[in-house]
Structures are given as C-alpha cells and as structure tokens.
Amino acid sequence: MTENTSGDAPEPSKTPKSPEPSGVDLARVALRAAKDAARARGDAAQQKKQARRGGLRSGARADGRDPMALGSAINRLITERGWEAPAAVGGVMGRWPQIVGEDVAKHCVPERYDEDERVLTVRCDSTAWATNLRLLAPTLVARLNEDLGHGTVQLIKVQGPGGPARRYGPLRAPGSTGPGDTYG
C-alpha cells in the first residue's frame, strides 16, 4: 500500500467543500432579488402610467422606440428574418445587365432563385442564346459568387424559349391542353 505524502493531491473524499451560505449571506441574496423584482415592477408601472397619459415617450437616451431611417429599418428586418441571400440575389436580378453585359441581358432574363438548392433559373429568347449562356454558365456562377458570397449560386439552369401562347376560344375541345394533345 502506498501512503499519501504531503506533496500529493488530497483524496476527493477529503477535499473541503465550499461553506453553505449563512443567515447573513442568505439575507443579502434575498434582498438583492427583492430589489430587482421591485425595480422591474416599478418600470412596468411607469410604462403603464405613461401610456395612459398619451403614449410612451422616448427620453434623452436612445432606446428601441426611437424612430429610425427606412434603410436601416429594412436592413434590420432582413437581418432578423434571415433574408440576406434572397435579398442579395434580388439585387443581382436588378443589376443583371451590368453583371452579364448588355448583349446577353437583351436576350436572357433571370426568372427565379431557389434558395434551398441555390439554383438561378434564366430564360433565353432563342435556343442559340440558351446554348451560348450554357457555355458561359461556369463563368457567370463564379462572377455571381464573387459578388454575393461563396456558394450562394451553385448552378445556373438555362431554359430556352417557351412554346406558343395557348389560345382559348369557342372551337376548342373541352379538356384539351393544346398541340401537345395531338403530337404527344
């Protein structure tokens, strides 16, 4: 058996415990809690009284009720709701001609952004421009991520021109979906 020498750490069972708070310490803790509760009740009563007298008034110091500029209010709302990425992509859609160039912007328009999959959908007015944009897609993804932050856009989905407008009229068969019915 080994004996405990004076240089070794004491055994866990022999460590001194912190003393329990005595009557005076308990009284101090209770007094502090009572003062905090009274201060909170007083603040609530003061606000009720001010509301009855014609509304809450802001004092000399800044607080949450002070008016703020519209831009900072919108930025605060975007931050609180976690809308940073959709708002940034919306800004990109507004600056599309500056990002891709005037020639491409005349023929290709961003339609939507899927935040979950991080996919930007772009519609082109001809298949030639759709093919051209598919070739430019990696460069555009890099440019958009440089502007918005890394990984914001992972893929650009390019769509060609849509089909002809559906014509509705009295000579249509009920339930018909147009030329697709005939040609499959």
Side-chain angles (χ1 to χ4, degrees):
M1 296 182 88
T2 59
E3 291 184 27
N4 189 7
T5 60
S6 62
D8 292 341
E11 293 179 20
S13 62
K14 295 182 181 179
T15 56
K17 294 183 179 180
S18 61
E20 294 293 325
S22 65
V24 174
D25 293 331
L26 287 174
R28 285 185 185 135
V29 169
L31 178 62
R32 188 176 310 125
K35 282 182 178 181
D36 291 341
R39 189 174 300 119
R41 282 193 310 269
D43 289 344
Q46 182 72 17
Q47 286 181 354
K48 273 186 184 177
K49 201 182 294 181
Q50 283 180 345
R52 273 188 259 131
R53 276 191 272 152
L56 297 172
R57 291 184 175 82
S58 179
R61 294 185 192 99
D63 63 2
R65 299 171 298 172
D66 287 340
M68 59 175 41
L70 181 63
S72 60
I74 289 174
N75 288 338
R76 180 176 167 189
L77 178 69
I78 288 172
T79 304
E80 287 174 356
R81 303 286 170 109
W83 294 339
E84 289 93 357
V89 171
V92 164
M93 289 184 177
R95 294 179 290 131
W96 184 251
Q98 290 86 18
I99 293 172
V100 297
E102 293 293 327
D103 292 337
V104 176
K106 288 178 188 175
H107 301 283
C108 303
V109 179
E111 284 191 338
R112 67 180 163 270
Y113 174 71
D114 185 4
E115 186 178 1
D116 297 331
E117 296 180 17
R118 301 183 186 274
V119 175
L120 179 66
T121 305
V122 179
R123 179 158 313 270
C124 298
D125 61 0
S126 70
T127 55
W129 277 103
T131 303
N132 189 17
L133 194 67
R134 284 187 189 105
L135 294 172
L136 291 174
T139 308
L140 287 177
V141 168
R143 191 179 303 163
L144 290 170
N145 284 331
E146 182 180 302
D147 192 30
L148 300 173
H150 182 67
T152 304
V153 177
Q154 292 182 351
L155 178 69
I156 293 181
K157 185 176 178 181
V158 180
Q159 296 179 341
R166 306 234 183 235
R167 295 187 188 106
Y168 298 100
L171 299 177
R172 306 270 315 167
S176 170
T177 58
D181 281 349
T182 307
Y183 302 111

